[in-house]
Amino acid sequence: MGIFGIHGNSIMAARKPGVIALFDVDGTLTAPRKVVTPDMLEFMKELRKVVTVGVVGGSDLSKISEQLGKTVINDYDYVFAENGLVAYKDGAEIGIMSLRKHLGEEKLKKFINFTLKYIADLDIPIKRGTFIEFRNGMLNVSPIGRNCSQEERDEFEKYDKPALPQIHKIRADMVSVLREKFADFNLTFSIGGQISFDVFPRGWDKTYCLRYLEGFNEIHFFGDKTFEGGNDYEIFEAEKTIGHTVTSPDDTRKQCTELFLTKIY
């Protein structure tokens, strides 16, 4: 009967050992920067009965909580904020790393000063506030500024999109400049979401969270930015993971249903 056993007239799911389903947040569990739907929350609750479930996001815990709920660290078996640099298991913190200690204040100041000057010289339709957000394990850089409205986010994403020749590729061009300028800093640049990109030491991408998952035989990762340069690329391509590209939260549910929740009667 596979992973399901019959109990009376109902189907009882038993958790499959050694298997974890690990999810990106934006574009995977939620629409970009939107709150998770009640249907998706219920789906994740049912999925957790069958496999271990984890979340790995580039944002800090407060932003992940805004999208997935204030009880997020208890709603999932693992929650990895800032790519896993801040890690929780069963509601308790199990690890934390610091960008400030790793790089040092002088390198941080040099990078931030150059980046702010670059943004100041950018000629884009609008600019708002919070161009650099300092997180525990990374810097999040936004040419438009994180204080923009959702409508402005959507417009910038279209303006910036690298897939079409007439679009401006603001983030991609900026990353190229910073990568060359600070080559000796050993940094990784990862474009994600609609308006920003993350900057962190090499190896501190989403694969960082895998060090906490040594006991699993199958690590399934689901994400929408799995292309090279996207913030899901490294973990999607990692030898330890089975990568799944999704196009939306609905697609995430569809793929997970086919993989984990196909009921055998």
Side-chain angles (χ1 to χ4, degrees), residues 89-190:
K89 178 183 179 183
D90 298 329
E93 185 182 288
I94 57 173
I96 189 166
M97 281 293 290
S98 167
L99 176 66
R100 179 179 59 80
K101 289 182 180 178
H102 181 83
L103 282 182
E105 292 294 353
E106 284 304 310
K107 284 186 175 180
L108 270 176
K109 184 170 66 175
K110 185 178 179 181
F111 181 89
I112 290 171
N113 285 348
F114 181 89
T115 302
L116 288 173
K117 288 176 183 176
Y118 183 100
I119 292 173
D121 291 336
L122 271 179
D123 184 16
I124 57 178
I126 62 170
K127 291 180 183 177
R128 295 299 180 248
T130 312
F131 300 101
I132 299 179
E133 185 174 81
F134 187 89
R135 299 176 182 171
N136 184 70
M138 68 177 71
L139 297 174
N140 180 265
V141 179
S142 175
I144 185 179
R146 295 193 63 88
N147 291 354
C148 60
S149 68
Q150 185 60 53
E151 182 181 1
E152 290 165 341
R153 281 174 171 269
D154 295 340
E155 287 302 313
F156 179 82
E157 184 180 30
K158 294 174 187 175
Y159 183 86
D160 183 56
K161 211 170 185 69
L164 302 173
Q166 73 270 27
I167 306 301
H168 303 82
K169 298 191 298 182
I170 300 299
R171 287 181 292 174
D173 289 345
M174 189 173 178
V175 163
S176 295
V177 171
L178 293 172
R179 185 178 283 126
E180 181 178 353
K181 174 71 176 177
F182 297 98
D184 59 330
F185 280 25
N186 203 29
L187 296 171
T188 294
F189 299 84
S190 183

Side-chain angles (χ1 to χ4, degrees), residues 53-110:
V53 174
V55 173
V56 54
S59 296
D60 59 27
L61 184 62
S62 66
K63 287 188 173 59
I64 291 175
S65 298
E66 286 174 9
Q67 292 180 262
L68 298 184
K70 293 180 179 179
T71 59
V72 62
I73 62 172
N74 296 305
D75 293 339
Y76 299 86
D77 299 291
Y78 291 87
V79 174
F80 300 112
E82 302 182 46
N83 292 348
L85 300 171
V86 179
Y88 294 84
K89 178 183 179 183
D90 298 329
E93 185 182 288
I94 57 173
I96 189 166
M97 281 293 290
S98 167
L99 176 66
R100 179 179 59 80
K101 289 182 180 178
H102 181 83
L103 282 182
E105 292 294 353
E106 284 304 310
K107 284 186 175 180
L108 270 176
K109 184 170 66 175
K110 185 178 179 181

Side-chain angles (χ1 to χ4, degrees), residues 216-234:
F216 291 93
N217 302 320
E218 289 183 25
I219 302 173
H220 293 264
F221 173 76
F222 299 83
D224 67 317
K225 297 289 193 303
T226 58
F227 52 84
E228 189 169 4
N231 64 354
D232 297 324
Y233 176 75
E234 289 84 3

